[in-house]
Amino acid sequence: MIFEHFSSGGCQSYLVGCADSCAAALLDPEIALVDRYLAFAARDGLRIHYLIDTHTHADHFSATQQLSRKLGVPVVMHRSSPAPFVDLRVDDGEMLVVGKLRLQVLHTPGHTRDSMCLRVEDRVFTGDTLLIGATGRTDLPSGDPEALHDSLFNHLLRLEPTLNVHPAHEYKGRPHTTIALELASNPRLQVRERAAFAEMMRSLNLSMPTHVTEALRTNMSGGKTVAQMLAEAAENVPFMSLAELQTRIEAGGDALIVLDVREREAYEAGHIPGARLLPRGQLELRVNQDLPDPTRRIVVCCEFGRISTLATATLRQMGFQRAVALDGGIKAWREAGYALTS
Ligand SMILES: [Fe+2]
């Protein structure tokens, strides 16, 4: 078996492949690592056949849908997943065939209703059902402490004690554990009585993960994250540096239009000399009167350099083929000591 492990801010994802056939599956991919997964699969000579989410993640942005579009392979989740983009819904007792590997599905609700573990050869990918020295939390949408108790003690922990456990989260850099080690030393697993276990889980009082709303929105709907929207816009526009713009302003002439897409109040408080105001919210409706010549070179700026990227992408879509985003915003311009007028 070919095995690669990826870590990103405590979120763990895994690539498992069959050395004979070069078929592979990717588990719990995260959006920030898309290029890395594809690079590793290529380096190892693997073709990914399945993109698997062990459950609906509330704390990271799943890359299954994006990779599915790119690779033309199915997104796999438990049949109770709410995500509309799941292509292959699986259930307890079923298997995915990946070359000579058999990925066995265990439905283990509790952390979420759609949580599952995947067992392959000498290891089990436990998602957030079982972590090293902990369990997944049960206080997020569709979490259920009693169900988690059943999934752990009546299902997962009854597998062979020697199985290696690879969780979807690990914050201390430990690579893996085993069923036996967790049974012996995981503090939460020492509370074996169902009601006491549920009571312990209910009283954990954990803080909400960052980006929980955005993660649930995008992972459950297949919608895009803010970072994705920005990255897609940035892929389709060129940028100009602050220093380059400063040089060109100093050179004078009207070779380029500086377009400030902030609100009027911010513009009036200080803008790049010569910049025109066209707030982002009015862009599409006002371009015809404000920017009659689509062949002009337009450098778009905003406070932080993000809204200007989106606005530049919009202008390019509308036919302003020389629209360019400022690399950095007015904040960076100000901090660099360049002049502003009000
Ligand atoms: Fe989770």
Side-chain angles (χ1 to χ4, degrees), residues 54-60 111-112 115 127-128 136-137 140 168-169:
T54 54
H55 63 285
T56 301
H57 298 283
D59 55 1
H60 78 235
H111 172 62
T112 61
S115 284
D128 284 354
R137 59 198 293 172
L140 296 175
H169 284 286

Side-chain angles (χ1 to χ4, degrees), residues 40-341:
F40 271 76
R43 188 200 70 176
D44 292 345
L46 296 172
R47 186 168 90 79
I48 296 169
H49 285 245
Y50 295 113
L51 299 154
I52 307 172
D53 268 322
T54 54
H55 63 285
T56 301
H57 298 283
D59 55 1
H60 78 235
F61 304 121
S62 170
T64 51
Q65 194 196 22
Q66 186 184 333
L67 282 165
S68 168
R69 276 201 300 265
K70 206 180 281 277
L71 302 174
V73 303
V75 175
V76 182
M77 285 188 80
H78 184 260
R79 70 177 182 84
S80 60
S81 161
F85 54 83
V86 177
D87 303 295
L88 183 55
R89 293 174 181 274
V90 295
D91 204 354
D92 192 74
E94 298 172 3
M95 285 192 309
L96 292 170
V97 174
V98 178
K100 289 185 177 167
L101 301 178
R102 300 288 184 270
L103 274 63
Q104 297 175 304
V105 175
L106 289 83
H107 183 213
T108 51
H111 172 62
T112 61
R113 191 181 304 126
D114 62 359
S115 284
M116 59 181 186
C117 299
L118 291 143
R119 187 213 166 135
V120 52
E121 298 192 347
D122 63 347
R123 62 199 69 199
V124 57
F125 299 96
T126 54
D128 284 354
T129 300
L130 178 62
L131 309 178
I132 303 179
T135 65
R137 59 198 293 172
T138 53
D139 59 336
L140 296 175
S142 87
D144 181 338
E146 281 87 5
L148 181 64
H149 181 275
D150 296 342
S151 293
L152 286 167
F153 290 101
N154 300 334
H155 208 170
L156 180 63
L157 297 169
R158 292 193 175 177
L159 298 177
E160 302 97 285
T162 53
L163 273 186
N164 288 314
V165 168
H166 296 271
H169 284 286
E170 168 52 27
Y171 299 94
K172 295 180 184 166
R174 299 165 291 192
H176 59 84
T177 178
T178 65
I179 298 278
L181 275 172
E182 291 310 304
L183 270 170
S185 63
N186 186 323
R188 289 194 197 160
L189 302 186
Q190 308 315 309
V191 186
R192 298 198 181 178
E193 200 274 315
R194 191 170 190 257
F197 178 87
E199 175 53 32
M200 170 189 66
M201 293 305 296
R202 288 199 170 92
S203 56
L204 287 176
N205 233 335
L206 301 166
S207 55
M208 276 292 127
T210 41
H211 310 304
V212 63
T213 314
E214 189 180 19
L216 287 173
R217 169 175 63 77
T218 55
N219 292 340
M220 290 170 76
S221 68
K224 291 176 184 173
T225 65
V226 175
Q228 257 178 301
M229 299 285 290
L230 286 169
E232 286 178 15
E235 278 171 12
N236 291 300
V237 304
F239 290 83
M240 184 177 284
S241 72
L242 302 175
E244 182 72 26
L245 178 58
Q246 168 68 12
T247 305
R248 285 170 186 266
I249 289 172
E250 275 173 7
D254 61 352
L256 54 83
I257 297 170
V258 179
L259 191 69
D260 191 322
V261 295
R262 296 175 299 163
E263 295 303 314
R264 176 171 294 279
E265 200 180 322
Y267 173 83
E268 287 178 350
H271 54 264
I272 294 173
R276 298 189 196 175
L277 171 67
L278 176 43
R280 171 71 181 97
Q282 298 171 33
L283 185 67
E284 290 88 338
L285 299 182
R286 278 184 40 192
V287 281
N288 291 334
Q289 66 192 70
D290 287 20
L291 302 168
D293 183 355
T295 66
R296 291 291 300 276
R297 191 178 209 183
I298 303 166
V299 181
V300 186
C301 62
C302 68
E303 187 63 20
F304 299 109
R306 294 195 288 260
I307 294 296
S308 54
T309 305
L310 296 171
T312 306
T314 301
L315 285 172
R316 288 213 158 222
Q317 276 178 348
M318 296 180 87
F320 295 87
Q321 285 305 312
R322 298 188 71 201
V324 178
L326 188 62
D327 183 20
I330 304 298
K331 181 169 183 288
W333 179 270
R334 194 184 297 121
E335 286 167 3
Y338 297 130
L340 289 169
T341 54

